[in-house]
Amino acid sequence: MVGNMNSRINGPWSLSQIEEYLAETVTPMRISVGGADYPLLCSVWFHYDAADGLIRCISHERSELIKSLVKHPRCSFDISPNQPPYKGVRGRGSVVLKTGGATELLTRLMNRHLGGTDSALSQWLLGRADEETTIEIKPVSISTWDYSARMQ
C-alpha cells in the first residue's frame, strides 16, 4: 500500500500493521475535504485494496462531498474507533473520482459494514448504484497511533 506509493509513514506501526488494520477494521472512515465556505467532514464506508494501495469509498454523484472533490481533488482521512483503546490510521491523499461501475464496490462495502445486502438500506443503495461516484484515495502521508498498552 503505502510503500507502493512512496508515502511518508509516521507512527508506531509498520507497513504490514497498517495494511492489516485497514483490511480488518469496519469502522467508517472520516474524510475531510475543502468545502464551499468551511471544510467538509463526512463519515463513509471504505475498502482498502492492498494490490494497488488505494482506499476506496462511494458517495452519491450530487453529494456535497463529490462536489467538493471535483473542485479540490485531495483529502484528509481518519480511520479509528470512537472507543478505547484509541488507535488508528490517518493521512492525506490525492483523489480520483470515477463514475459508473459502483455496484461491485457497493456490494463489497455492504457485506463488510452491514454483513450482507439483504437489508432495505442495501437494496435502496443498490437500486441507485448508477448514481454513485467512486472515490479513490492515493495516500501521500500516513500517521498511526496506538494507545492500547497505556489504556489497559
Side-chain angles (χ1 to χ4, degrees):
M1 168 218 155
V2 181
N4 295 339
M5 294 176 277
N6 298 319
S7 299
R8 294 183 312 252
I9 301 174
N10 185 11
W13 290 353
S14 67
L15 175 59
S16 62
Q17 288 173 300
I18 292 169
E19 290 188 324
E20 181 180 341
Y21 179 81
L22 293 176
E24 292 178 0
T25 189
V26 292
T27 300
M29 174 177 69
R30 295 171 201 86
I31 182 171
S32 177
V33 299
D37 295 322
Y38 293 94
L40 178 66
L41 179 64
C42 300
S43 292
V44 293
W45 298 334
F46 77 95
H47 171 74
Y48 166 69
D49 189 341
D52 59 17
L54 298 177
I55 300 170
R56 290 182 175 84
C57 54
I58 289 181
S59 188
H60 191 269
E61 64 190 4
R62 292 188 307 266
S63 70
E64 288 301 314
L65 178 58
I66 297 301
K67 290 176 188 176
S68 295
L69 286 169
V70 165
K71 293 178 184 174
H72 308 285
R74 59 184 186 202
C75 70
S76 295
F77 58 89
D78 176 280
I79 303 166
S80 62
N82 292 326
Q83 64 279 346
Y86 300 121
K87 61 184 175 180
V89 172
R90 72 172 59 108
R92 294 185 302 246
S94 59
V95 171
V96 172
L97 301 176
K98 295 194 173 179
T99 57
T103 302
E104 181 182 338
L105 180 57
L106 265 175
T107 301
R108 184 177 297 184
L109 292 171
M110 288 182 282
N111 285 330
R112 176 183 174 128
H113 293 274
L114 297 177
T117 58
D118 295 333
S119 70
L121 173 61
S122 295
Q123 294 305 305
W124 179 75
L125 289 170
L126 287 169
R128 65 179 212 168
D130 60 337
E131 300 173 14
E132 300 292 332
T133 299
T134 299
I135 302 165
E136 292 185 343
I137 302 169
K138 178 181 178 182
V140 297
S141 67
I142 296 284
S143 296
T144 64
W145 68 99
D146 190 344
Y147 301 136
S148 298
R150 71 170 87 159
M151 297 186 85
Q152 290 185 23

